[in-house]
Each structure stands twice: as structure tokens, then as C-alpha cells.
Amino acid sequence: MRWIKLILLTLIKKEIKEFFRSKSDIIVMLIFPVILIFVMGKSLDNLMSVEKNIFNNKTIYYRINAPINNEKNLQIFYDFMINFEKKTNVKFIENKNYKEAINDVNNNKAICFMDIYDNKINYFRNEKKESTESKIFRNLYEQYRRKYSFLQTISKSNLNQMTNLSNYQMKISLKDENINEEEINSYTYYTFAELILIILYISTLTSISMYKERFLHTMTRLKVSNTNRFNILASKIDLGIIIGLMQTLVVYIVSAKLLHVNWGDNLTYIMLVLISFIIFSSVLGIFISMIFHNQKTAYTVNNILIIIMGFLGGSYVPICLVKSSRITNFLCNIMPNYWANIALLGLHYNMETKYYIISILISLSLSLIMLIVGNFISKQRVGGNFD
């Protein structure tokens, strides 16, 4: 058992030395994240400053089409309207003049026009270009409607509980969209979002490291036993964890000291989310190297995946804008970096959610699946494992 540990330790030392020999790797993995956070935070500050003023004193038109026989839909709308007005200071105005309402929306005098019928609501937005307020509001209302229906089902016998639950869900929904009394600035958001993005690039390092082993025929020499194969994989994952922790430390020091970002009171859970995501990213690179025999193909696929995941995870634009489209709203929910991002934001603001548990489970489960599938596929090739 001792010699196994010595082999693993030797491999880890070799990986770390290789990393620090490359100046470009050090710059990209440790220095670039700080530059990225500063640039994104500075340039997109106006976009992130939506949480307090985006709905303040703005107008939303609605029209109730009589007779309304479905009181449920009407009740959902009125409950939402009352809660939303209190939270955002927006003005809901009933307007029975259809043409006037549509014209005002198209001229940006109103955010939208909600035409309410028995079984549906026609939502009218600016025909030329939908505003950010409209995208966020539309997404919020849809979330609220689904949550309200679910809560109503489980709380039929307790009206007081129903009211408390719906108010709580409104609070959570607003926080999900970065619209709340406690302001989230761009530096806070992009500290977490860009840290998650740069952690994804660990997959590039572990993938390249796997191909180096192949070129040096290390895999062939060490594939005599399952233990040696395990050591190889474990050393790559350990390399990723070490680099990821170094990235986190650098970002934490710089963001706290220079950008005055408060990481909150849940540092333990934040670290668990980050470590599990670091493991996912490390294994992703290993998995890609197992799937693709050609290194250039693997590198291209890896970078495309990072770009797509970065966008859907909210690393380039705020999550609320990503979720404003039905397609991207669906896709982002299957991305581990999306869950890591909202988990970190939720922990930062002490939100009473289980996002961090979901994030950890998704990251570790996907890591295990990729190792099993990748190992199985690589065994089917001529020459066996890793060749």
C-alpha cells in the first residue's frame, strides 16, 4: 500500500513541475482570471445594476377580459401583481384600450401589456426589440405561476400557509433574477461567474497532460496493473484540484482586498461546491482525451464545450438574461457550471435553497459517469486502455 502512495505522490509532483514550467499556463490559469473579473465587472456594471432600479416607476399594462370564469388564473395574477409592486415599485395599470396599450409598449412607455383571458394570458412586448425589463418580468411571472400552482396543490387546507409560501417564493424568484433590496454588483457576480469559467479550463490542462503521457508511452509502461492506471488518473485529478484551489485562493485574495467583494458566511459550503466542480472539470479533460484519439480534435471539442457552457452558465451575461429565452432556460438547467454559479450566489446571500447540494451532486455524479464511460470506450480501441 505504501509503494502505491509513493507512486501517486511522485506522479503528482511530476504534474506540478510540468505546470510551473509553462509560463503561459501560469498566466492563463492564475493571472488571467483576475484580469477577466476586473474587465467584465467594469464593462458590464450597468447591465448588472438592474436589481434596484430596472422596474422602479416603470409601467405594466393589463386588461381583464370579462367574463372571467377561471378564478384560479385571475387569483395568481393578482397575487403576483401585489407582491411584485411591493418588491419593485413598478406600476400595474389596467388599460382597456388595446391599440393604445400596444402602441405604448412599442414606444417603450410601458414594459409590456398582459391581456388576460379564462385559460391564458397574451403577453405583448416591444415588437422591434424586447427590453431587458420585459425579458426578466416575463420569466419571473412564468416561474411564479408554476410555483404558485404547485404550492396551491399542497396547501389547500391552510390559506395562511399558502400566502406565506407564495410570498416566500416571490422573494426567492426575485433573488434568482438579481432583483432585491440587497444589491449585487457586477464585481460580486463576476467574481463567482468567472472563477467557475476559468475552472472549466482545467479540463484543457488535464486533457493535454493525458496526451503527453501517451506520447511518452507512460501509459503503456504502467498499464501492467489496475493500480497503476488508477494512479495515473488520480494524479491528473489531483493536479486539477491543486490548480483549482490555487485559482480560488488568488481570486479570493484579489476580490476581497482590491474589489471589496464579501464572500459571505458560508465559505465551507462554497469551497465544497468549488472543489466538486474542480473535480468535474479535471475529469472532463480526462474523458475527452479518452474519447478522441487525435489531440487537435480533442482540444477543439473541449474549447467549444467551454464556450457553450460558459454562456449557458452565466459567465458572459447575467443568468437572468440567459433564462429569459425558453430554449436557453432549458439548456442552462442541464449545465453543471450553471448550478455551481447559482449555488455560489445563493450561499453568498444566505438564500434558503439547496442549490449547493444539487451542484455538488451533479458535479460528482457526472465525474463518475465520465470516468466509467471513458474507460469503457478506451478499452474498445486496439491496444487497450489509454493507447
Side-chain angles (χ1 to χ4, degrees):
M1 191 69 181
R2 186 178 177 183
W3 68 271
I4 295 175
K5 292 181 179 178
L6 288 174
I7 291 175
L8 180 57
L9 187 61
T10 302
L11 290 171
I12 293 172
K13 287 181 179 179
K14 177 181 73 69
E15 296 292 348
I16 295 173
K17 287 180 181 178
E18 286 289 331
F19 172 74
F20 280 103
R21 283 197 188 108
S22 174
K23 293 181 180 179
S24 60
D25 285 346
I26 295 174
I27 292 173
V28 170
M29 303 306 291
L30 300 180
I31 300 176
F32 184 66
V34 176
I35 299 173
L36 193 61
I37 290 169
F38 180 79
V39 171
M40 296 292 283
K42 188 70 175 176
S43 60
L44 297 179
D45 184 50
N46 291 332
L47 187 60
M48 288 301 300
S49 298
V50 301
E51 57 279 340
K52 280 193 172 183
N53 300 318
I54 191 171
F55 292 112
N56 189 38
N57 292 323
K58 296 291 180 66
T59 300
I60 293 175
Y61 285 139
Y62 70 94
R63 180 176 70 171
I64 307 296
N65 289 279
I68 297 292
N69 297 317
N70 192 335
E71 294 184 2
K72 177 183 173 182
N73 285 340
L74 197 57
Q75 185 64 43
I76 292 174
F77 171 75
Y78 279 131
D79 286 348
F80 177 84
M81 181 177 71
I82 292 169
N83 280 288
F84 201 78
E85 281 184 328
K86 288 179 180 178
K87 297 290 182 181
T88 63
N89 201 32
V90 74
K91 297 177 182 177
F92 281 84
I93 298 176
E94 186 170 10
N95 191 336
K96 296 185 179 298
N97 189 324
Y98 179 87
K99 290 184 178 181
E100 180 188 46
I102 296 299
N103 186 58
D104 283 355
V105 171
N106 285 329
N107 289 312
N108 292 318
K109 293 180 180 179
I111 293 174
C112 62
F113 173 52
M114 303 178 74
D115 209 12
I116 303 167
Y117 294 85
D118 262 342
N119 298 314
K120 66 175 182 177
I121 294 179
N122 288 332
Y123 186 93
F124 294 93
R125 51 199 170 183
N126 191 307
E127 295 175 351
K128 296 179 181 178
K129 184 179 180 181
E130 184 178 13
S131 65
T132 300
E133 298 96 317
S134 176
K135 291 178 181 179
I136 296 175
F137 175 79
R138 179 162 49 85
N139 185 46
L140 277 171
Y141 182 75
E142 184 59 27
Q143 288 184 51
Y144 185 85
R145 186 185 64 78
R146 290 196 298 264
K147 290 175 181 177
Y148 191 103
S149 298
F150 171 73
L151 292 171
Q152 192 176 50
T153 302
I154 65 174
S155 307
K156 287 181 179 179
S157 59
N158 192 331
L159 295 178
N160 290 330
Q161 183 185 13
M162 180 62 216
T163 302
N164 292 335
L165 284 170
S166 61
N167 287 337
Y168 173 74
Q169 287 299 326
M170 169 61 74
K171 183 179 179 181
I172 292 297
S173 293
L174 289 172
K175 282 195 173 186
D176 281 347
E177 302 299 336
N178 302 328
I179 305 165
N180 51 81
E181 295 175 0
E182 185 179 6
E183 181 176 4
I184 175 172
N185 59 52
S186 57
Y187 288 124
T188 300
Y189 178 86
Y190 282 109
T191 289
F192 295 117
E194 301 314 312
L195 176 57
I196 290 297
L197 176 65
I198 207 66
I199 285 174
L200 272 175
Y201 280 94
I202 292 175
S203 61
T204 303
L205 283 182
T206 54
S207 177
I208 292 173
S209 182
M210 288 289 287
Y211 282 106
K212 283 183 179 178
E213 301 286 3
R214 182 179 295 165
F215 296 148
L216 295 173
H217 302 291
T218 308
M219 296 298 188
T220 304
R221 294 197 307 269
L222 291 178
K223 70 172 187 174
V224 178
S225 69
N226 289 327
T227 302
N228 286 325
R229 287 200 294 271
F230 170 80
N231 284 337
I232 290 288
L233 295 177
S235 68
K236 307 303 179 186
I237 296 173
D238 288 338
L239 170 68
I241 292 174
I242 292 169
I243 294 173
L245 290 176
M246 290 170 63
Q247 289 175 327
T248 302
L249 180 61
V250 170
V251 170
Y252 176 79
I253 294 173
V254 173
S255 63
K257 299 298 182 181
L258 298 182
L259 304 178
H260 307 292
V261 174
N262 182 0
W263 282 52
D265 301 323
N266 297 305
L267 279 177
T268 301
Y269 293 126
I270 286 175
M271 288 307 301
L272 289 175
V273 171
L274 288 172
I275 290 171
S276 61
F277 188 72
I278 290 168
I279 292 172
F280 163 79
S281 182
S282 303
V283 174
L284 177 62
I286 295 171
F287 174 72
I288 290 174
S289 70
M290 289 176 171
I291 298 298
F292 299 99
H293 190 75
N294 184 279
Q295 184 177 357
K296 289 184 178 179
T297 303
Y299 183 81
T300 301
V301 171
N302 192 64
N303 279 281
I304 291 173
L305 280 176
I306 291 174
I307 292 171
I308 294 172
M309 292 174 70
F311 170 72
L312 293 173
S315 296
Y316 306 136
V317 295
I319 289 176
C320 58
L321 297 183
V322 178
K323 291 179 70 68
S324 63
S325 168
R326 184 174 297 178
I327 296 176
T328 55
N329 181 43
F330 167 76
L331 292 175
C332 73
N333 283 295
I334 61 177
M335 296 293 163
N337 57 315
Y338 161 77
W339 288 104
N341 199 359
I342 64 172
L344 294 178
L345 291 172
L347 290 169
H348 174 271
Y349 283 103
N350 294 313
M351 289 172 58
E352 299 177 20
T353 67
K354 300 298 181 184
Y355 291 152
Y356 70 97
I357 296 177
I358 297 173
S359 174
I360 292 170
L361 288 175
I362 288 176
S363 294
L364 295 182
S365 298
L366 287 176
S367 299
L368 182 60
I369 291 170
M370 285 190 293
L371 284 174
I372 293 172
V373 173
N375 192 52
F376 174 78
I377 293 175
S378 65
K379 281 183 178 180
Q380 308 308 308
R381 291 179 180 158
V382 177
N385 227 13
F386 310 121
D387 284 336

